[in-house]
């Protein structure tokens, strides 16, 4: 059953990332490449100046990618903490003498609840990321 929970979270996150890529990141990539090409069309600039120009063109996209990565890491950390809490509850139940089926059932319900809670966080995370990407 853990695989099903994992697949649900993964699908939700992948949909969000694909949406961000289509609606924001791809446009930023286009601007970055056009800007970089413009840097290369400056015949009077030195090699160093062209390099600095290209670096400036890459900065917004690098910020955007860092922002998305950071937000996904925080999401993953929260989900991990929640599932670790489930592990602790299951271990405590097992240590108190409960049988394996009861422990498995508790674990499945607890992890399912973690997954539900975190899937419900995806829309607000998406909104926050879109707002932050728009401001870059």
């Amino acid at each position: 059953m853990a695989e099903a929970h994992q697949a649900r979270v993964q699908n939700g996150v992948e949909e969000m990332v694909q949406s961000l890529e289509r609606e924001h990141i791809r446009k930023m990539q286009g601007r970055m490449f056009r800007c970089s090409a413009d840097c290369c069309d400056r015949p009077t600039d030195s090699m160093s100046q062209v390099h600095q120009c290209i670096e400036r063109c890459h900065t917004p996209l690098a910020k955007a990618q860092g922002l998305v990565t950071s937000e996904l890491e925080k999401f993953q950390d929260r989900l991990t903490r929640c599932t670790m809490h489930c592990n602790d509850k299951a271990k405590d139940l097992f240590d108190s003498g409960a049988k394996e089926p009861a422990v498995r059932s508790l674990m499945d319900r607890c992890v399912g609840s973690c997954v539900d809670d975190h899937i419900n966080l995806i829309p607000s995370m998406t909104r926050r990321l879109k707002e932050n990407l728009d401001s870059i």
Side-chain angles (χ1 to χ4, degrees):
M1 204 45 137
E3 294 85 18
H5 293 312
Q6 183 177 351
R8 286 178 47 223
V9 173
Q10 192 167 344
N11 289 339
V13 170
E14 282 178 8
E15 284 179 27
M16 177 195 72
V17 169
Q18 287 175 5
S19 164
L20 292 172
E21 194 277 332
R22 265 191 320 275
E23 298 170 20
H24 295 275
I25 303 294
R26 203 176 292 180
K27 291 174 187 172
M28 294 177 91
Q29 286 174 321
R31 286 194 298 271
M32 177 200 66
F33 286 119
R34 286 187 293 278
C35 176
S36 296
D38 289 344
C39 294
C40 295
D41 289 339
R42 296 177 173 180
T44 59
D45 284 2
S46 69
M47 184 172 64
S48 175
Q49 289 171 317
V50 170
H51 180 72
Q52 288 174 349
C53 180
I54 291 170
E55 286 297 315
R56 280 192 304 274
C57 295
H58 286 237
T59 300
L61 182 61
K63 280 183 183 175
Q65 289 171 331
L67 184 72
V68 172
T69 299
S70 173
E71 198 69 35
L72 289 173
E73 286 172 353
K74 285 189 257 181
F75 179 82
Q76 180 63 48
D77 288 346
R78 288 182 67 176
L79 182 57
T80 298
R81 283 195 308 273
C82 189
T83 57
M84 291 303 294
H85 175 71
C86 294
N87 284 334
D88 291 343
K89 286 172 69 172
K91 184 182 180 326
D92 292 344
L93 184 62
F94 189 76
D95 289 348
S96 73
K99 302 290 183 208
E100 187 178 338
V103 174
R104 283 186 190 273
S105 176
L106 168 82
M107 186 70 177
D108 190 52
R109 284 191 317 275
C110 185
V111 170
S113 178
C114 288
V115 167
D116 291 341
D117 291 347
H118 285 76
I119 285 175
N120 289 335
L121 291 174
I122 291 175
S124 62
M125 179 171 58
T126 303
R127 223 175 4 267
R128 189 169 51 254
L129 279 167
K130 286 181 177 183
E131 288 170 2
N132 287 329
L133 290 173
D134 283 341
S135 72
I136 293 178

